[in-house]
Amino acid sequence: MEKAADINSSLLKKLWHRIEEDDLPGLSAQLAYFFLLSLFPLLIFLFTLLPYLPIQHQDILGVIRGFAPSETMNLIEKNLIDIMKHRHGGLLSFGVIGTIWSASNGLSAIVSAFNKAYNVKESRSFIVSRGMAVLLTIGMLIVIIVAIVLPVFGKGIGLFLFSQFGFSKQFLILWSTLRWLVSAVILFLIFTALYWIAPNIKLKCRSAFPGAGFSTVGWIASSLALSFYVSNFSNYSIAYGSIGAIIVLMIWLYITAFIIILGGEINAFYSEKSKNNC
């Protein structure tokens, strides 16, 4: 027990030192900016794929709606639908590379933040590092699509099976719980892949688990807390007018960035500790 307490105390002290030394607030602000630049290209690409997938645009927005503050969600939905109405044709055939490239800006910033956490320099060439960011973006898109498609079909199949035994209402209660569990698992897998592959250092997959677990729980909890606060105790639209939703979006992206970088710092701490014990 005492040893575990010492480790936790050491972790907290080291993390606090890393937060100051690596300037996590500043890095988080930079990363939030790149997230903002990446958000709409990513969603536009997903929306462009809809005619080829058995899902609706509300299914994609529903994934975000489960976590995003209401004002942020309204901003995203309104602007995204407006962009899709006025876009030119041929996005998949001509603009996909540019869209994915723009969407990968956020992941490129994450790679830089993780390298700083591990105190390593980026020795990979620009083409390799940027290509990895693009591949991670595509991989994340595939995981997101699977995460959307599975619940759509899963709910239909589950309702059919449970209705045969007269358990439809019970299934709906169970399904609402399983949706959160599935979302958490998907997030954990995405964070694990990021923490394992992104840094310019050779790591074992399991070494990414502590940060991935922290980021999964931390991001879900902080997103829900921010959403609850904005909905019940604050009205940014009154204070800031039409830019209130943008401010809420940036706060949400900043918190997201801070948690992701802090998860990388946690992994770096345990990696350093493991090397010292060898």
Side-chain angles (χ1 to χ4, degrees):
M1 291 292 292
E2 291 183 2
K3 187 176 181 180
D6 291 340
I7 292 176
N8 291 331
S9 176
S10 177
L11 172 61
L12 292 175
K13 290 179 180 178
K14 190 67 175 179
L15 282 179
W16 184 259
H17 176 71
R18 283 175 173 271
I19 287 173
E20 294 181 334
E21 184 180 39
D22 292 343
D23 188 23
L24 257 66
L27 283 176
S28 299
Q30 295 176 37
L31 190 53
Y33 170 76
F34 284 112
F35 279 166
L36 182 63
L37 293 181
S38 303
L39 178 62
F40 285 98
L42 193 67
L43 291 176
I44 289 169
F45 181 67
L46 280 173
F47 268 53
T48 308
L49 288 175
L50 288 182
Y52 307 92
L53 299 170
I55 55 178
Q56 303 296 321
H57 76 275
Q58 289 299 332
D59 295 323
I60 295 176
L61 294 174
V63 174
I64 306 174
R65 189 178 289 109
F67 303 100
S70 57
E71 293 188 27
T72 294
M73 193 62 233
N74 293 334
L75 173 71
I76 292 173
E77 189 169 1
K78 179 182 177 181
N79 285 276
L80 186 59
I81 292 176
D82 185 60
I83 290 171
M84 295 304 295
K85 283 182 179 178
H86 296 88
R87 70 179 174 83
H88 297 288
L91 177 60
L92 269 181
S93 55
F94 297 104
V96 60
I97 296 177
T99 303
I100 292 295
W101 185 271
S102 298
S104 67
N105 284 329
L107 281 169
S108 294
I110 288 177
V111 171
S112 299
F114 288 172
N115 285 339
K116 193 166 187 179
Y118 283 95
N119 292 317
V120 295
K121 293 184 178 180
E122 184 57 72
S123 60
R124 295 167 291 197
S125 67
F126 174 79
I127 295 177
V128 172
S129 59
R130 190 68 183 201
M132 181 186 65
V134 170
L135 289 176
L136 282 172
T137 302
I138 295 173
M140 187 172 65
L141 282 168
I142 293 173
V143 172
I144 291 173
I145 291 171
V146 171
I148 296 171
V149 171
L150 284 179
V152 171
F153 284 99
K155 185 176 182 180
I157 295 171
L159 278 173
F160 172 76
L161 294 176
F162 273 68
S163 63
Q164 299 302 309
F165 300 96
F167 297 145
S168 298
K169 292 183 179 179
Q170 288 85 341
F171 169 76
L172 291 175
I173 296 173
L174 177 63
W175 181 254
S176 63
T177 304
L178 287 177
R179 280 180 58 197
W180 284 102
L181 181 60
V182 170
S183 298
V185 171
I186 295 296
L187 279 173
F188 179 80
L189 292 176
I190 292 175
F191 285 135
T192 298
L194 282 177
Y195 292 131
W196 178 32
I197 300 173
N200 188 27
I201 185 173
K202 190 174 181 180
L203 299 169
K204 294 181 179 178
C205 182
R206 65 174 180 268
S207 67
F209 291 167
F214 166 82
S215 295
T216 300
V217 176
W219 186 76
I220 292 175
S222 62
S223 296
L224 294 177
L226 178 63
S227 180
F228 180 80
Y229 171 76
V230 171
S231 299
N232 295 277
F233 300 104
S234 178
N235 195 324
Y236 283 86
S237 296
I238 294 177
Y240 299 101
S242 59
I243 66 170
I246 299 176
I247 293 175
V248 175
L249 174 60
M250 287 304 300
I251 292 173
W252 185 45
L253 293 178
Y254 178 85
I255 292 173
T256 298
F258 190 91
I259 288 174
I260 290 175
I261 298 175
L262 189 57
E265 295 285 0
I266 290 173
N267 286 338
F269 167 80
Y270 282 113
S271 177
E272 181 181 325
K273 192 172 185 63
S274 177
K275 288 180 180 179
N276 293 334
N277 290 336
C278 291

